[in-house]
Amino acid sequence: MAILVTGGTGYIGSHTVVELIEKGKDVVIVDNLVNSSIDVIDYIKQITGKTVKFYNLDIRNEEALDKVFKENKITEVIHFAGLKAVPESVKKPLEYYDNNLTGTLVLLKVMRENDCKKIVFSSSATVYGNNGEIKYVETMERGKTTNPYGTTKSMIENILEDLYKSDNTWGIVILRYFNPIGAHSSGLIGDNPNGIPNNLMPYIQRVASGKLAELSVYGNDYETKDGTGVRDYIHVVDLAKGHLKAIEKLEKEENGLNIYNLGSGKGCSVLEIINTFESVNAIKVPYKIVERRAGDLPEYFADAQKAKKELNWETEKTLEDMCRDAWNFAKNH
Ligand code: NAD
Ligand code: UD1
């Protein structure tokens, strides 16, 4: 009996695998390493003392994926595998739709053929779109997405809903992540994107380590507490623990489709992140204020009550922890 983790050598996947192993779960990883390194398997071993079973394959390869199910008794799947860079998705929509949608369709088909009908899916707060609200709650409709990446998340949620309507023996948990940052306290695994990062924390890490000269803060004239953008940042280890709770729910219950926000429920500004990073790490992060970034919303954060009530999950780590752990990882990589 094993849990299949697609995209398990990636940023969130690797942290989740560590939490699963530490709770005594049997894990199998499938990843084609398009955005991660094989070294992560060794880091997971260093952290947990266990060698995790790993298959280097693309989830769109139906035959190979089917073999993984035949060789292992897979009871649940946590599905992280996908491409996630927003600007790249605008430039390469076909690649994004193919990877994220075809990948998910093949996975669901292979799961059904192998009578494995329990899945946790990595969705995003991006599916709420720009609907004028600041606090996002699961009862809100999905909104209009602004880029192909976000659209794939919204479409996959739709596919999962249709699948459940057609066959209510499935157990499906959709997790909508807010902004994951930070790293494992060992400093071995974390977020290390290729090229120049788009997201705030990886960019700060590169500036702090002197690889990039300064951070551009995208606008300080929003109607927010200090004029800069506000988001709900969540420590990746808290996020990983949310997956464990979702798996425990699927293990207990026969079926159902449930959607949960995974966020802290609190908004934090760009300047608050910079200041906290500087003070906990005693390091400067030079920055300049520039124009707003197209497509950015001023402010949003999670209503995290549903996950607390139904999954008995809430964030435990602070912004200080996130900034300290992010730097502890970055300075070694
Ligand atoms: P990541 O890129 O670090 O991890 C994704 C992993 O999937 C990578 O290891 C990559 O090699 C693998 N992969 C991609 N396509 C594959 C394919 N066709 N077959 C096999 N493996 C494949 O990203 P992450 O930050 O860990 O995100 C994990 C999931 O969570 C993604 O689906 C992402 O869209 C979603 N998500 C991430 C964030 C975020 O801020 N990081 C926010 C919301 C949702
Ligand atoms: C972005 C994506 C979202 C995706 C998420 C993954 C967009 C519009 N949205 O969210 O779909 O799910 O990443 O984590 O791309 N900022 C700066 N300077 C920088 C980088 C960011 O000031 O160099 C600001 C942004 O304006 C924003 C905040 O920092 O206010 C967070 O930005 P980012 O980390 O890119 O995440 P999101 O834009 O929230």
Side-chain angles (χ1 to χ4, degrees):
M1 298 234 296
I3 300 166
L4 176 68
V5 181
T6 75
T9 46
Y11 173 46
I12 306 169
S14 58
H15 288 82
T16 302
V17 167
V18 165
E19 295 303 317
L20 292 169
I21 292 175
E22 285 180 346
K23 271 274 175 299
K25 307 280 182 198
D26 201 3
V27 177
V28 172
I29 295 179
V30 161
D31 200 301
N32 65 355
L33 303 177
V34 68
N35 197 37
S36 54
S37 159
I38 188 69
D39 297 345
V40 169
I41 298 297
D42 189 47
Y43 298 145
I44 291 171
K45 185 172 181 199
Q46 287 184 46
I47 296 169
T48 64
K50 298 251 163 66
T51 303
V52 61
K53 196 162 182 185
F54 171 69
Y55 291 85
N56 180 351
L57 65 86
D58 191 310
I59 55 166
R60 288 168 295 181
N61 182 341
E62 189 172 336
E63 209 178 306
L65 191 60
D66 186 63
K67 235 175 133 225
V68 175
F69 277 80
K70 299 277 183 298
E71 286 176 11
N72 302 278
K73 172 102 196 73
I74 305 293
T75 45
E76 292 96 13
V77 174
I78 308 182
H79 178 32
F80 293 104
L83 299 176
K84 63 159 183 178
V86 171
E88 188 185 55
S89 80
V90 175
K91 290 198 200 97
K92 298 180 174 176
L94 298 184
E95 283 77 1
Y96 269 67
Y97 285 115
D98 183 42
N99 195 78
N100 294 3
L101 296 182
T102 311
T104 304
L105 289 172
V106 169
L107 172 67
L108 292 170
K109 213 171 139 213
V110 172
M111 285 178 68
R112 186 179 59 188
E113 276 155 16
N114 288 279
D115 202 27
C116 169
K117 293 185 174 177
K118 293 186 177 190
I119 184 167
V120 179
F121 172 62
S122 300
S123 190
S124 164
T126 197
V127 302
Y128 289 106
N130 182 4
N131 57 17
E133 300 288 335
I134 288 178
K135 195 178 198 182
Y136 291 166
V137 58
E138 295 89 342
T139 46
M140 280 163 43
E141 294 282 304
R142 280 191 295 270
K144 192 168 164 13
T145 48
T146 53
N147 54 75
Y149 163 73
T151 307
T152 66
K153 292 291 168 197
S154 195
M155 289 171 85
I156 294 168
E157 286 201 3
N158 220 325
I159 289 167
L160 291 169
E161 284 166 3
D162 286 341
L163 178 64
Y164 183 69
K165 271 185 218 149
S166 76
D167 175 359
N168 66 10
T169 64
W170 279 81
I172 299 171
V173 177
I174 293 173
L175 299 177
R176 292 179 178 160
Y177 313 154
F178 282 69
N179 288 52
I181 59 171
H184 192 264
S185 57
S186 63
L188 288 169
I189 51 175
D191 196 10
N192 192 15
N194 297 326
I196 295 179
N198 308 301
N199 296 118
L200 181 62
M201 185 53 86
Y203 207 105
I204 289 178
Q205 294 169 186
R206 301 274 167 98
V207 172
S209 58
K211 293 191 184 105
L212 292 169
E214 64 183 353
L215 171 74
S216 293
V217 174
Y218 298 134
N220 67 349
D221 55 353
Y222 286 113
E223 277 187 34
T224 58
K225 47 184 136 182
D226 58 23
T228 63
V230 168
R231 296 289 182 273
D232 185 334
Y233 296 92
I234 166 173
H235 196 295
V236 66
V237 171
D238 278 337
L239 185 64
K241 288 182 174 156
H243 293 75
L244 195 65
K245 296 287 189 177
I247 285 290
E248 284 167 0
K249 183 179 176 69
L250 288 177
E251 284 170 349
K252 276 203 296 269
E253 289 171 19
E254 279 303 301
N255 52 20
L257 183 145
N258 289 284
I259 302 180
Y260 298 101
N261 286 341
L262 293 187
S264 71
K266 289 190 288 284
C268 166
S269 75
V270 177
L271 291 181
E272 283 172 333
I273 292 265
I274 297 171
N275 292 337
T276 309
F277 192 97
E278 289 189 331
S279 72
V280 297
N281 297 314
I283 193 161
K284 285 308 268 181
V285 179
Y287 70 89
K288 63 171 185 237
I289 307 291
V290 300
E291 289 293 288
R292 294 177 178 190
R293 179 171 68 178
D296 272 356
L297 292 172
E299 174 169 12
Y300 62 81
F301 51 86
D303 180 324
Q305 288 307 307
K306 191 179 174 200
K308 184 174 180 189
K309 202 164 145 230
E310 296 184 16
L311 296 180
N312 190 26
W313 173 91
E314 62 185 324
T315 56
E316 288 167 3
K317 295 190 181 271
T318 63
L319 193 57
E320 283 76 14
D321 297 328
M322 300 182 215
C323 291
R324 191 184 315 104
D325 293 340
W327 180 233
N328 182 42
F329 168 74
K331 68 184 179 203
N332 297 320
H333 285 80

